[in-house]
Amino acid sequence: MEDLYLGNYIKEIFLDSDTTVAVISGIPSATDAGNILPPDKMAETRDVINRLAASQRLIAHGLVSPNKGTADLDEMRRQAADLRISAWKCYTGLPMGNPPKPWRVDDEKVAYPMLEASRRLGIKNICLHKGLPLQGGVEEYWHPRDLERAARDFPDLNFIVYHSAFHSLRPAMEAARDEFRTSSRVDWVTDLCDIRLRNPGLTNIYAELGATFGQMVITSPLVCGHVLGMLVQAFGADHVLWGTDSIWWGSPQWQIEALRRFTMPESLMKRFGYRPLTPDVKAQIFGLNGARVYGIDPGLHRNPVPPDYVSKLKAAYLDEGPRPSLTQYGWVLQG
């Protein structure tokens, strides 16, 4: 089953799409035994795929849950040293710890020790699941309001807002369409944009499009254009990052093609003053912005994953053995 899962991931991402480099991410759990994709497995997947391609094709997130208590700081140090992770993935609305409770990224007692530890470890990217409230979480803690103070207090860290804080999947999509007829608001994307508009010098907040673009471009292209226009207008074209949430939605190729073909509706440019989504803007969103955030050179050569990757998986695992990977690569985002 391990080979099947990994084989399917490679097929969907690297053979069935134009993805150059991907980020593998996960969801924290109360116990390691309950986690279907723990940090060690993400790092192992990264190493196997990069070995298969003999070049950088994947980077890995680590998982951090400061509401678990001080023991999580030790886990951060382990992931940074042993797994060489490229960013932290955080879920503020998931209750953890004893007693279980959610957390805010601007909480000086809970979150700030984690942010200070990340700074010491040299990991600048803090990826926060915002919007899309998850089952079992506390809805108000998925709101992006806690970003404003944290980003101001830690200007040397990048706060990457996953899903651009879009409030929910369907049925909220219908509510967003209805609201757009009479209002320019889109819950909670507008609230996220307002943070930047209130603080034009706050340049360390980035909007990531995973799941948000894919669901909107199909169900309501006009709202999709409004959200893209709003994000670019508030944050700048250099602060919007591509994301697909694949392989939850299958291969990301359909979303890649959708953004390539998408044009800003004339009605939105007239109503809100949005600029066209030029090839330069799309190139920034597709990968140049992510490459800059992760500190990589987008011009580096990268080899394709071999088409007979399935037969090579077992050999790659056996060749790896119990040793840590000897292959070290720079960090490159999806391009």
Side-chain angles (χ1 to χ4, degrees), residues 15-135:
L15 298 189
D16 291 348
S17 87
D18 294 332
T19 298
T20 305
V21 177
V23 177
I24 188 168
S25 194
I27 303 175
S29 62
T31 63
D32 291 340
N35 196 327
I36 62 171
L37 192 60
D40 295 71
K41 181 58 65 176
M42 290 192 281
E44 180 186 10
T45 301
R46 174 201 61 202
D47 293 342
V48 167
I49 291 174
N50 290 341
R51 283 182 69 107
L52 287 174
S55 60
Q56 175 66 41
R57 299 302 304 270
L58 189 65
I59 63 174
H61 278 174
L63 298 178
V64 63
S65 301
N67 49 346
K68 287 184 176 180
T70 56
D72 207 56
L73 297 176
D74 293 331
E75 174 61 12
M76 288 178 67
R77 288 187 282 270
R78 185 192 73 84
Q79 292 181 52
D82 296 348
L83 307 182
R84 307 186 317 278
I85 55 95
S86 301
W88 302 112
K89 186 67 176 295
C90 312
Y91 289 76
T92 55
L94 284 182
M96 298 277 185
N98 187 19
K101 57 185 178 181
W103 58 286
R104 290 173 56 108
V105 75
D106 61 356
D107 188 316
E108 292 185 10
K109 294 182 178 179
V110 175
Y112 278 25
M114 177 270 289
L115 297 175
E116 290 163 355
S118 187
R119 173 190 281 162
R120 290 192 300 272
L121 293 168
I123 298 174
K124 295 180 58 177
N125 298 320
I126 313 298
C127 301
L128 294 151
H129 178 107
K130 289 293 185 179
L132 305 189
L134 300 180
Q135 185 177 6

